[in-house]
Every structure is written in structure tokens, then in C-alpha cells.
Amino acid sequence: MQATRGWIPSRWKRRQYSAAGSKPGPNILRLLMSGSHTNHPLAPMRHSTAHVMAQAVQHLFPGAKFAFGPDTEDGFYYDIELPRPISQDDLAALEAEMRKSVASQSQFVHEDWPKGRALEWFREHDQPFKVEWISQLPDETVSIYRHGDFTDLCAGPHVSNTADIGAFKLLSSGGAYWRGDEKREQLTRIYGTVWNNQQELDDYLERLEEARRRDHRRIGKDLQLFMFADEVGPGMPLWLPKGATIRRELERYVTDLELRQGYQHVSTPDVAKVDLYKTSGHWAHYKDAMFPVMKAGDEELVLRPMNCPHHIQIYKFTQRSYRDLPLRIAEFGTMWRYEKSGELSGLSRVRRMDLNDAHIFCTPEQILDEIVGVVQLIESVYDVLGITEHWYRLSLWDPSDREKYVDNPPMWEMGERYLKEAMARLHLEYVEAPGEAAFYGPKIDIQLRDPLGHSETISTIQLDFHLPNQFQLEYVGEDSKEHRPVMIHRGVIGTLVRMIAFLIEKYAGAFPVWLSPVQARLIPITDRNVDYLRGLHERLLDLQVRSELDQRNEKMQRKIAEAQTEKVPYMVVAGGRDEEAGTVSVRLRSGEQLPPMAPAEFVNRILDDIRNRR
RNA sequence: GCCGACGUAGCUCAGCUGGCAGAGCGAUGGUUUUGUAAACCAUUGGUCGUCGGUUCGAAUCCGACCGUCGGCUCCA
């Protein structure tokens, strides 16, 4: 049915960031208590609808235990422990029950209860999650909202009456852990959406539909870009010729750009001795995401989850002088991560990926300039790719998580200062995100939004004082003494898989000419016109334009229809009239038809597009 | 990994409470020689994800495993 991925998280998470670390503690609870979590004008209504849904659950699922139910960017959800699994039919039944509540025109009533009374009441009504929640609140009174026969712990605000709720729909259900902790109870989360009126709701549902049509997994199959094979394994994409073309073009583009920017491209192996990763700290902090050790004779090898240690070895190849710095070592490095099975998703989350990686080895004095240079590089690439909606996230460590992060508070503080200074110098706004750093250092993540509103990290800039220490990196300074360099890890287009997944959805498969797997489809009207187009075809191939000559025994209309479906940017049609006039007639995938032009003119046009990356 | 759903031809899907596995598209062979989104005829195609169980009989019921999808957790 409504197979929708969660559309909430980004804003919701951003709020968490500003509140506390990654482990949900009292601060998070305060936050959850605070009622509405977004500044959206519809927030009170959405939150109220969550209460109305909870009431319906209370009626239809006696014994349900309520956890929490906030509003989100597009609606609301409620996490509930249910006596049995919930089905699509149940959602329809719940909606019907909710409508009764709306029809009853119940007032939302706010009351302040002494903590003791609240604890007693929720204990009596067998609501252990509420009890746990209240008992951790610091205040002596707790805020309660009631409507009809439903009572909930909640700070509001709410609309005044259930009749004030607009057009709503329950969308889906899924699992969720109590307080986001995978070691705690598994609850059922029911998602819904609510809008001012039916029209707004319909518009929203249409947006969900559109996002589904753009899903890169669907388009990737339809356009034959990539595949997965059960026999190869989950999370291991196989690129088909057309998808491999897009990869190659992106890789060439970025590599050339980097070479021009003073990066040096290298090539290093996918495996290393496990000791390399013990030295780097990956083994201690990142082991869970690594494939297990391969034993070959006396050797213990691992598939690398990151490229940095290899590039560090290249740094150490010779003695480095301050004159060599900044040294920018780059590679489309293949990495392997053992993601848990449930975390895999199309090209967005895989087990084998190629990262547009680079490690900048520099002096502390060079850090700011280098970061500025990387941000400018990223912005220029985004400009070419037409990526306009993105935001910056300063990803910091979580001092309370000594397992995930290198335990060296002064180092983290120093890194944070540098990154903030760089952002200030760039006049960029950013959101702080505790608990999102790499294990070795803080980072600036550039966040993109997919059509469903999910935010995801593609580009990243990470500041690292840790690995240079672990590997005892040195350079000889002006004073002819040895100094320790700093490392900046950065990815501009990130991993090819994730960037291509993003681009497929952004363009809905209609790639700009320079990235299109097929750039021109030449369509003779009858087989007498094949030779006429063959000359143009050969000319295009010589110029490295990806041209295809459609000589099949099919009607021209069908060839056009198929080229449209494949989203080929240029369809070049020629029949008897064109042959006589010495022209071709060019159709764009928009349906627009250009005035007849000489073949040479078309060649210039398409070369111009490609050269300018349009 | 956890909660829930799903897995039928190359693709999209139908197949009710167990009784000989279907359609459209595609592919192949022919006919057609066409002016901007899909010509016509014929042929072809499946150990119903895998393994086991129940049954006279399983695509259908049960179990395990594999995979996919939606959530959660984690993340480039």
C-alpha cells in the first residue's frame, strides 16, 4: 500500500542535536515532553491529531501502552506498544475511529498535575512508558492534556477542539525502539499526516507519489543503469553499461577538476593487513562496520572500510618537507563496509562503494585555507550538477561516548575551533550535530535532501589530528626540525553510488546531455534513410559523442516513443525530405522540435552542451 | 541486527476458501517502408525465491533459510 519511507527525520534530528548527545538522556526527555517540535504553523494541529489517533488506538487496541507521539515536518507519529501486530486494515479502522472523535467535538483540556498524582494515575492505567518518563522529569508538576476519554502527558500546545483537526490520513506503521535505544523495547510507530483541508492533503499525497516515481531503484531498473544479483550478494551493486557510463563521466569530471586544483591522484589496494587498521584505530572504533578478517596462511587481511591509512603510507613514502605541503592525495577509493542487512537500501546504502576521497596533509597554519578551498570546490561541482538545496552540518563528537570516539577532549575542542573559524570565514550558516563526528575528528557535512525530504550526507570535510599521531607522521619545517602535519579527509561528490542515486532522483532519469548514457539517438524514417544518417553517426562517434543509430525494422513513431521512455536528450530524425534538403530534424525529449538543421550544426550544438556540461 | 509486510515468465501484474499456471508488454520469425510517444500475424517463454513439512493432491496451508520493501538502530 502506501509504501513511504519516513519523511520526518531531518528536522526532528536537528532538534535533537541542539538538545543533547546521541544517547537519549533527560534532555531528550524534556524535549519529547515539550509537545510540538517544529515551528510549523500546523504543528499544534498535527500534535493534536497524534492524540486523537492515540485515543482511537486506545479504543481499538485495549491494553495499548503509549510511549510518545510528536508532530513532524509533514504530520505526526505515535510510538505505542500494541497487543498484536497492526495491518493496513487496522489503519483504515483507526481512521474511522478518529473521525468519530472529530465528530464528537471534544475540547482539549490542559491541567497541571503534581508529579505524584501523575505517577499514580499512569501506574493505575498501566502506562509504564509514561511512568518512566514522568519519573525522570525534574519538575514538581507535570502538564497533562485531556480530550474525550483520552488523557496524556504533554506540554502542548493543542488546538482547542478535536473538530479543529483538518484532513488527515494514516500512512504506515513500522518498528521503533523506546527512546531510540536498540537495547530497549521494540514499539510500533504509526505515521500519519494532517493538513488544513482535503486539497492540501491530496497535494501532499501527490508529492509522495512523485517521489515514488523518482525512486532511483525503480528508474535504475527501467533505464538499465544498475542491478543487484542474489548470487553476488546484498549491497553489492553491478553497474550495467549505461550506469557505468554515468559513473565514468562523473569520475573523469571530478578527477580532472582535482588535478587542476593541485590534487595528486593515486591508486591503492582494497585490502590491507589488519594491523594497519589496529594502528589507525579503526579496529577499536569501527570494527563492527568492517568485514571479518581473512586468514591466508599466516596473514590476516581485511577489506578496507576507509582509504586513509593507505594514503598515509603514501605520505610516508619519502621524507616530507614543509615545502611539499599541502600535499593533496586523491583517489576514487573502493571501500567495503559490512552494513547490517536491514540498513541496506538501493544505491544509497551499500556494502561496496567508491569514494571520491582525498587526504590533505598540511601544517596547522594551512588548515583554514585548505578547508575554504575544499568548500569552494564542492560548491563549484554542485553548481555544475544543479544542486542548489543543501545545508551545512558541523558534526561534533559526543563526549559521553568513549567507545565510538577517540578519547582526547583537547583534540576535539581544537578541531571544533578550526572548523567554526573556517565556517565563519566562509560566512556559511550551519547546524551543530553532536554525536555525528568521525571517530577520529569533527567534520563539516554537506546535507542534501532527496525528493522525500530525507537529508543525507554526500560531501564531507573532516579534520583529523589523530591519525597523524597514530602513524607518527612528520615533515621537516623551515627550522629544519620535525613537525607533525594535520590531515583533512574530504569527499566532494562523496561515494559514486550515493551521488548517482541522488542524481537519478533529482533528474528523474533525464540526465543532462554530458551525463546521459545515450546522448543522441538517430532515427531513420525508412531503411532507405539509414545510410544518410550513418555518416552523422560515425562523425559523432569519432567525436566521442554517445550516439546510437536505430536501424531496427520498426516504425519511426515507435523509435521515438522508446527514445522518449529512455530519456535520450536528442532524437535526430531523417527521411526523404531531409535527405533532399541536406538537413536533419531534431527532437528534444521535452517534445520540442527544432527547426531543420544541417548535420554539422547539430554536431556543434551537442558538442557545445557536452563541453559546457549541460 | 530488531519489528512488520512481500517474493508467480526478461518486465508489470492476475491466479477466491488447496484440484492440469494466466494476461499485457518484451523476445524470436515473418509481413509492412512508414514524418515526431508504441503497425499486423505467428511463435516463444515459469522446478510459482530455496529447502523441509502437512495432504490423495500445495503457487495456495505450516516452518526454516535467502532476498526485497516500510520503519527503527547505524551511516558515505
Side-chain angles (χ1 to χ4, degrees), chain A residues 131 361 407 582:
Chain A
V131 170
F361 299 84
D407 187 6

Side-chain angles (χ1 to χ4, degrees), chain A residues 103-208:
Chain A
S104 76
Q105 305 194 6
S106 310
Q107 286 292 125
F108 279 94
V109 181
H110 177 229
E111 293 169 5
D112 281 319
W113 289 6
K115 195 171 177 177
R117 180 186 166 197
L119 280 172
E120 196 181 327
W121 194 91
F122 283 104
R123 219 172 260 137
E124 268 172 26
H125 290 79
D126 196 20
Q127 292 296 336
F129 301 113
K130 299 291 181 188
V131 170
E132 177 178 335
W133 195 341
I134 294 167
S135 60
Q136 293 190 14
L137 288 173
D139 311 289
E140 281 316 304
T141 56
V142 295
S143 169
I144 299 290
Y145 270 87
R146 297 194 290 116
H147 79 275
D149 57 359
F150 184 74
T151 301
D152 203 355
L153 169 74
C154 175
H158 282 281
V159 294
S160 60
N161 192 291
T162 56
D164 299 334
I165 288 168
F168 62 85
K169 182 173 173 58
L170 299 186
L171 295 169
S172 61
S173 64
Y177 298 109
W178 168 228
R179 295 170 69 170
D181 184 346
E182 62 181 329
K183 293 181 188 72
R184 297 296 304 267
E185 294 87 336
Q186 176 103 44
L187 311 170
T188 300
R189 177 171 297 179
I190 305 173
Y191 284 104
T193 187
V194 58
W195 299 84
N196 281 316
N197 51 55
Q198 188 64 36
Q199 184 60 49
E200 285 182 20
L201 174 61
D202 290 343
D203 290 347
Y204 172 71
L205 295 176
E206 172 53 30
R207 287 205 299 282
L208 290 187

Side-chain angles (χ1 to χ4, degrees), chain A residues 325-564:
Chain A
L325 305 185
L327 183 70
R328 309 183 186 94
I329 296 178
E331 175 178 14
F332 273 83
T334 304
M335 315 185 302
W336 303 77
R337 297 184 182 175
Y338 189 74
E339 305 290 350
K340 294 184 209 162
S341 56
E343 292 165 348
L344 300 170
S345 176
L347 291 185
S348 317
R349 198 72 186 279
V350 297
R351 285 179 169 166
R352 196 217 105 138
M353 69 213 93
D354 303 289
L355 181 67
N356 164 223
D357 207 356
H359 296 92
I360 301 172
F361 299 84
C362 65
T363 69
E365 294 72 38
Q366 293 168 333
I367 291 174
L368 290 181
D369 281 346
E370 287 305 306
I371 292 176
V372 168
V374 172
V375 169
Q376 286 168 345
L377 180 59
I378 290 171
E379 290 288 347
S380 73
V381 170
Y382 279 19
D383 195 42
V384 165
L385 294 174
I387 299 172
T388 51
E389 281 185 54
H390 57 286
W391 50 280
Y392 286 79
R393 184 178 81 181
L394 184 58
S395 299
L396 307 171
W397 75 319
D398 174 1
S400 68
D401 193 342
R402 301 288 157 113
E403 225 172 87
K404 185 173 171 187
Y405 299 105
V406 171
D407 187 6
N408 184 350
M411 179 193 90
W412 288 99
E413 283 158 24
M414 178 164 62
E416 190 176 326
R417 276 201 306 276
Y418 272 109
L419 292 184
K420 283 183 173 168
E421 204 178 325
M423 297 306 277
R425 208 203 269 192
L426 285 156
H427 304 295
L428 285 173
E429 290 189 14
Y430 57 89
V431 174
E432 288 189 28
E436 293 287 346
F439 77 81
Y440 45 75
K443 52 182 182 161
I444 298 168
D445 291 320
I446 295 89
Q447 301 298 109
L448 301 182
R449 261 166 194 284
D450 71 14
L452 274 176
H454 283 116
S455 83
E456 52 186 352
T457 308
I458 294 190
S459 310
T460 178
I461 306 167
Q462 312 176 347
L463 189 52
D464 177 11
F465 302 99
H466 174 71
L467 292 179
N469 267 335
Q470 295 303 106
F471 286 97
Q472 303 283 302
L473 300 187
E474 308 283 3
Y475 67 89
V476 180
E478 232 172 322
D479 55 6
S480 77
K481 294 196 175 114
E482 303 212 306
H483 299 271
R484 181 132 300 160
V486 179
M487 278 176 76
I488 297 168
H489 310 233
R490 46 104 284 183
V492 173
I493 58 170
T495 55
L496 282 168
V497 268
R498 190 170 279 184
M499 179 53 95
I500 291 175
F502 178 82
L503 292 178
I504 290 171
E505 298 185 358
K506 171 177 170 49
Y507 297 126
F511 291 95
V513 177
W514 72 282
L515 281 176
S516 285
V518 178
Q519 296 170 313
R521 172 79 44 84
L522 309 194
I523 300 174
I525 291 181
T526 78
D527 51 16
R528 288 190 298 273
N529 311 116
V530 171
D531 284 339
Y532 177 68
L533 280 175
R534 183 167 285 127
L536 174 59
H537 177 56
E538 293 293 333
R539 172 90 182 119
L540 290 170
L541 292 180
D542 285 343
L543 293 165
Q544 317 234 292
V545 176
R546 294 184 290 273
S547 166
E548 285 182 358
L549 178 58
D550 191 345
Q551 322 187 38
R552 294 172 307 155
N553 177 20
E554 292 291 351
K555 290 188 64 171
M556 172 262 280
Q557 284 89 336
R558 161 171 286 260
K559 294 177 181 179
I560 287 172
E562 289 180 8
Q564 286 286 152

Side-chain angles (χ1 to χ4, degrees), chain A residues 592-607:
Chain A
E592 186 191 347
Q593 222 177 302
L594 304 180
M597 64 178 80
E601 195 183 332
F602 173 71
V603 171
N604 286 337
R605 182 184 170 112
I606 196 168
L607 286 178

Side-chain angles (χ1 to χ4, degrees), chain A residues 290-304:
Chain A
M290 293 171 68
F291 277 88
V293 169
M294 289 180 275
K295 292 203 178 181
D298 293 336
E299 290 175 279
E300 290 193 321
L301 302 171
V302 287
L303 286 166
R304 66 174 172 193

Side-chain angles (χ1 to χ4, degrees), chain A residues 259-317:
Chain A
L259 291 172
R260 179 65 189 82
Q261 302 284 323
Y263 287 84
Q264 306 189 56
H265 269 258
V266 300
S267 179
T268 60
D270 297 8
V271 290
K273 293 182 182 173
V274 68
D275 285 351
L276 182 70
Y277 285 96
K278 286 182 177 163
T279 303
S280 69
H282 285 83
W283 197 249
H285 298 283
Y286 208 76
K287 197 169 132 204
D288 287 349
M290 293 171 68
F291 277 88
V293 169
M294 289 180 275
K295 292 203 178 181
D298 293 336
E299 290 175 279
E300 290 193 321
L301 302 171
V302 287
L303 286 166
R304 66 174 172 193
M306 294 186 193
N307 309 312
C308 18
H310 289 73
H311 289 183
I312 286 170
Q313 299 309 308
I314 287 179
Y315 179 88
K316 292 174 78 172
F317 174 64

